[in-house]
Amino acid sequence: MGGRVAVALGAGGARGYAHIGVLQVLEERGYEVVAVAGTSMGALVGGLAAAGRLDAYTEWVTGLTQYDVWRLLDINPLGGGGAIRAERIFTRVGEILDGALIEDCAVPFTAVATDLNHRREVWFQRGPMATAIRASVAIPSLVTPIVVDGRLLVDGGLMNPVPIEPTAAVMSDLTIAVSLQAGHSTGMPVAPVRTPGALVGSVRSLTERVGALIGGSHDHARAPEQLVGGGVDDGVARDVEPVTEGGGSPAVPSAPGYTAAPKELASAEIFNRSFDTMAALITRYRMASNPPDVLVSVPSDACRTMDFHRAGDMITLGRELTVRALDEAGY
């Protein structure tokens, strides 16, 4: 079909390789990309594309093994705001960019970062492409932040996970946004989940006991389960008697209604999932006021944030999802 298209590429770690597949399909279908805006991995892929260097980058990353990736990540044991310096990666990206300036690119480009000190977005639309990308991909606590013109800059996904707004200044036939924060591939509920489990019942039981101890009536108090919005099975709450093992001291019973998180779930993975959850909510609200013509949604469980050895898989997925999204939208 063809036409002039503005592209907004979102944040999401290694899932951002899907952006490469998106851009490949657009080129194959004859679309002219007239504006690119990106956050985090979207800034990396989009910046390389705007500078005409994406093919060289793609050739490099599709050949990386998991061992290569861990070596390139450059773990940072000395602090400095992030667990990973990743300077080896940024050095290689800088070599591929070869000093490219944003204002010299044939395609208008914007990289979005977050200024932590002033709590605002920063749009890079001029200056060294490598600096703009480096600022945008600094995932808080994972990748070390940088200081540019006195601003402490981190990942733009904190405030604008899918930056559609910077593309509005360029005339185009349609806008395509690529979100890496879609619900799980098996489906994810949007509405809050109400869980009336045993813990709420135990809280109610505790409230009743406290009320009895202080001699007051709990009949007129608002029940705890009303605060969480769930009905509670009256048979759930139980008094737990001390359990002794081998005649020793009473063992501490396990807390009712929940279990500990799996031990194999690393702190980094908890942070990544938390970041994805926050980004998905921000994206939903921002797109409500500025919707794209076509939305390509990459499931958040397509790969883990740091699975940078899976470039081939994510590029293929990006291609498939783009073809489907364009066909469904009639483009």
Side-chain angles (χ1 to χ4, degrees), residues 106-250:
V107 177
F109 172 73
T110 303
V112 179
T114 300
D115 180 346
L116 280 184
N117 291 334
H118 298 92
R119 301 182 181 181
R120 60 186 298 179
E121 291 179 41
V122 175
W123 291 6
F124 285 88
Q125 297 178 320
R126 297 183 61 83
M129 180 70 78
T131 299
I133 291 172
R134 177 64 180 84
S136 186
V137 303
I139 303 173
S141 83
L142 289 182
V143 180
T144 53
I146 64 172
V147 177
V148 178
D149 295 334
R151 296 184 178 95
L152 181 63
L153 301 178
V154 296
D155 196 304
L158 280 176
M159 301 192 75
N160 199 345
V162 184
I164 298 175
E165 296 87 352
T167 68
V170 180
M171 294 294 296
S172 62
D173 298 318
L174 70 154
T175 300
I176 296 178
V178 186
S179 171
L180 308 179
Q181 314 294 344
H184 288 193
S185 52
T186 54
M188 177 182 290
V190 175
V193 178
R194 300 171 185 258
T195 305
L199 182 60
V200 176
S202 298
V203 171
R204 184 179 66 177
S205 177
L206 178 60
T207 303
E208 293 170 349
R209 295 177 188 179
V210 171
L213 285 173
I214 64 176
S217 172
H218 60 268
D219 292 338
H220 302 292
R222 190 179 185 189
E225 60 265 29
Q226 291 177 305
L227 299 177
V228 299
V232 178
D233 183 350
D234 291 336
V236 169
R238 295 288 187 271
D239 291 332
V240 180
E241 298 295 334
V243 179
T244 59
E245 296 178 355
S249 301

Side-chain angles (χ1 to χ4, degrees), residues 31-145:
Y31 287 99
E32 178 189 2
V33 176
V34 295
V36 179
T39 293
S40 198
M41 270 296 283
L44 175 58
V45 173
L48 286 158
R53 314 290 169 82
L54 186 56
D55 288 344
Y57 175 77
T58 302
E59 182 179 357
W60 175 54
V61 296
T62 50
L64 294 177
T65 65
Q66 190 169 23
Y67 173 77
D68 294 331
V69 169
W70 282 113
R71 182 173 57 84
L72 289 166
L73 286 177
D74 194 15
I75 304 300
N76 179 27
L78 301 179
I84 298 168
R85 285 190 296 264
E87 292 305 324
R88 296 174 183 173
I89 292 178
F90 297 125
T91 297
R92 178 59 183 140
V93 171
E95 292 171 353
I96 294 173
L97 287 167
D98 192 25
L101 299 176
I102 297 175
E103 60 267 29
D104 292 340
C105 294
V107 177
F109 172 73
T110 303
V112 179
T114 300
D115 180 346
L116 280 184
N117 291 334
H118 298 92
R119 301 182 181 181
R120 60 186 298 179
E121 291 179 41
V122 175
W123 291 6
F124 285 88
Q125 297 178 320
R126 297 183 61 83
M129 180 70 78
T131 299
I133 291 172
R134 177 64 180 84
S136 186
V137 303
I139 303 173
S141 83
L142 289 182
V143 180
T144 53

